[in-house]
Amino acid sequence: MSDIGKQGGADMAPSTVWNEKQSWLDYLPTPLAMAMLVAVFIAIWQAIHVSGLVSPIILPSPGRTGTELVTVGMNLMSGGFVFTAFVITAQEVLFGFAFAIAIGVGLGVIVGETHFGERAVMPLIVAIDTMPKIAFAPVFVAWLGFGIGSKVALAAFVAIFPIVVGVAAGLHAADENARMMFRSIGASRWQTLRRLKIPAGLPQFFTGLKIASIGVVAGAITGEFLGGGRGFGDLIRTAASQLDTARVFALIFYLSLLGLATFWAVALTERRMVFWRRSTSAAGGER
């Protein structure tokens, strides 16, 4: 076969490399992409409001909701009653998160390090977690009263399970060869836990913390809904009883900022403590 024939056959052969065609949306900067998504959402919202398909009492206009956002934000920044309620809810979230971390880490170590914990403790934790959390709110109120204690307890109760799972999974993440090396040099169980298993399991541990940081806010607000209180849950309940849906949306927006702040605090701590994982990823990308 001539060289020309060979070249023609090579040109006609199908390519073995498949390149995915990316959309122009994939090249947009993240802030611009998020802004476009929000703009589309608001446009659809406004169209539904103008069409009259939904009552303004149920779905207020974006303009009225924006006005309430400004009003609530100004009260929050000026130290008014919204700020006072926000501080109370923030205390419930932070205390609940702290208790959840303390209890969840302890149970996670028991589950991840002992056969008793894996066979007996973990099934009980799973069984309790499958129960509806909202049903425990009256129980915590009966035990701890209508003060901040019942809200902290419910917030911690909601957030414990992801932490337990994250810690237990992290303790099993260490490489088996590394475990054999620690056993060969005569390392104690505590030394293996502290120097090998805990550092290796930090990514899974922080994954559990991120999930818990979102659930803890829901737990605190649920406690305020059902057990009274003077936090954001009380403001939302009052606005809903007055059919002030725009105020409810505004309060929910600022409440979500509390959840985002908790989440990003955990994410920032992870970046500080699991710096070696980021360095390894960067090195792999360079190759």
Side-chain angles (χ1 to χ4, degrees):
M1 183 180 293
S2 64
D3 294 340
I4 298 178
K6 292 181 181 180
Q7 290 179 357
D11 292 338
M12 295 174 63
S15 175
T16 59
V17 179
W18 180 74
N19 295 323
E20 181 180 1
K21 185 178 180 180
Q22 292 184 325
S23 170
W24 63 272
L25 292 172
D26 298 327
Y27 297 97
L28 291 177
T30 300
L32 180 58
M34 293 179 64
M36 289 180 59
L37 188 62
V38 171
V40 171
F41 173 76
I42 293 177
I44 296 174
W45 181 1
Q46 179 66 23
I48 295 175
H49 175 76
V50 172
S51 66
L53 296 174
V54 182
S55 171
I57 298 178
I58 299 176
L59 185 66
S61 67
R64 184 163 182 269
T65 304
T67 302
E68 285 295 333
L69 279 172
V70 174
T71 302
V72 173
M74 291 179 62
N75 191 288
L76 182 64
M77 297 300 294
S78 63
F81 68 93
V82 176
F83 175 79
T84 303
F86 187 84
V87 170
I88 293 174
T89 301
Q91 290 176 344
E92 296 167 355
V93 169
L94 293 179
F95 290 152
F97 199 31
F99 280 115
I101 292 174
I103 299 173
V105 169
L107 292 175
V109 171
I110 294 174
V111 171
E113 279 292 289
T114 65
H115 291 293
F116 172 80
E118 187 175 358
R119 291 182 299 174
V121 177
M122 190 61 185
L124 289 176
I125 294 176
V126 172
I128 294 174
D129 188 69
T130 57
M131 301 176 184
K133 307 298 186 301
I134 192 173
F136 285 87
V139 177
F140 288 127
V141 171
W143 288 347
L144 303 173
F146 290 94
I148 191 176
S150 58
K151 287 74 176 177
V152 170
L154 186 59
F157 181 68
V158 172
I160 284 177
F161 182 75
I163 299 176
V164 174
V165 174
V167 172
L171 294 179
H172 289 289
D175 183 69
E176 185 61 30
N177 293 329
R179 297 189 189 196
M180 292 179 60
M181 184 189 70
F182 270 71
R183 286 194 295 267
S184 66
I185 62 177
S188 65
R189 189 170 187 174
W190 166 246
Q191 289 174 330
T192 304
L193 177 66
R194 183 168 59 92
R195 296 183 179 275
L196 173 63
K197 292 184 177 181
I198 291 179
L202 283 178
Q204 288 83 353
F205 170 61
F206 276 104
T207 299
L209 281 184
K210 289 177 181 177
I211 300 173
S213 67
I214 299 173
V216 70
V217 178
I221 293 300
T222 302
E224 291 181 351
F225 281 159
L226 301 179
R230 297 173 297 167
F232 249 52
D234 181 61
L235 295 182
I236 294 175
R237 185 177 62 249
T238 302
S241 65
Q242 297 173 353
L243 298 180
D244 192 353
T245 313
R247 175 64 60 91
V248 172
F249 286 167
L251 292 170
I252 291 175
F253 172 79
Y254 287 106
L255 183 64
S256 68
L257 297 182
L258 177 60
L260 284 173
T262 308
F263 179 88
W264 286 114
V266 174
L268 180 60
T269 306
E270 180 184 19
R271 289 178 62 87
R272 300 278 186 178
M273 296 187 64
V274 198
F275 58 89
W276 49 266
R277 188 184 186 189
R278 189 169 67 253
S279 301
T280 304
S281 301
E286 290 178 359
R287 290 196 299 269

